[in-house]
Amino acid sequence: MSEGVHVVCPHCGGVNRLPAERFTQGSAREGHCGHCKKSLFDGHPVELDGAALARHVARNDIPLLVDFWAPWCGPCRMMAPVFERLTAELEPRLRMAKLNTEAEPETASQLRIMSIPTLVLYAGGGEKARVSGAMDAGRLRAWIQQHL
């Protein structure tokens, strides 16, 4: 990380390099994209499609937690506000994102998403952990901490 921390912009997909000190000093949240000039962290989950997911997994140096969900899924809707709150709390140490499996069935199939909601934690360019089912804030926070 001496060269910096690579962060994919949630708006344009550009890859930015932030000084590692910004993460240790807590000022990374204030970072802006060098391409589109928008905030790199805004306290909300990033909406991804299959291509954007691949880019975020491959190019982010920070861990990525993806909520695979669908609009018709009751447990998904129940967990959405929890996921939103934790995003504001955990950024920029963790990028949190959502992928609508109804809109991206091929991606869900390729990743073997069998039930929703399913949460997948990516780090170092690959999948690190996976869990299915809705969780409250305490259980979700504990699961994230266990795997980071």
Side-chain angles (χ1 to χ4, degrees), residues 52-125:
L53 172 63
R55 185 168 184 80
H56 278 263
V57 169
R59 301 297 307 269
N60 265 322
D61 287 339
I62 59 173
L64 170 70
L65 178 62
V66 181
D67 174 14
F68 291 89
W69 70 287
W72 51 262
C73 169
C76 298
R77 290 193 316 267
M78 181 182 75
M79 197 173 82
V82 170
F83 200 79
E84 181 89 19
R85 276 195 312 275
L86 285 181
T87 300
E89 177 185 319
L90 297 174
E91 278 188 347
R93 297 173 307 216
L94 172 70
R95 167 75 72 205
M96 294 177 71
K98 296 176 80 66
L99 188 137
N100 180 345
T101 58
E102 197 74 6
E104 295 287 327
E106 287 182 26
T107 301
S109 177
Q110 288 171 353
L111 296 173
R112 296 186 192 106
I113 304 299
M114 303 296 182
S115 63
I116 53 173
T118 292
L119 300 172
V120 180
L121 180 64
Y122 297 93

Side-chain angles (χ1 to χ4, degrees), residues 6 10 39 70:
H6 292 97
S39 178

Side-chain angles (χ1 to χ4, degrees), residues 18-52:
L18 297 178
E21 306 82 54
R22 293 190 73 177
F23 283 85
T24 58
Q25 297 168 357
S27 63
R29 185 182 300 269
E30 301 162 8
H32 288 83
C33 179
H35 306 278
C36 72
K37 309 302 182 211
K38 293 182 180 178
S39 178
L40 292 173
F41 301 100
D42 63 5
H44 300 287
V46 177
E47 296 287 338
L48 299 177
D49 60 17

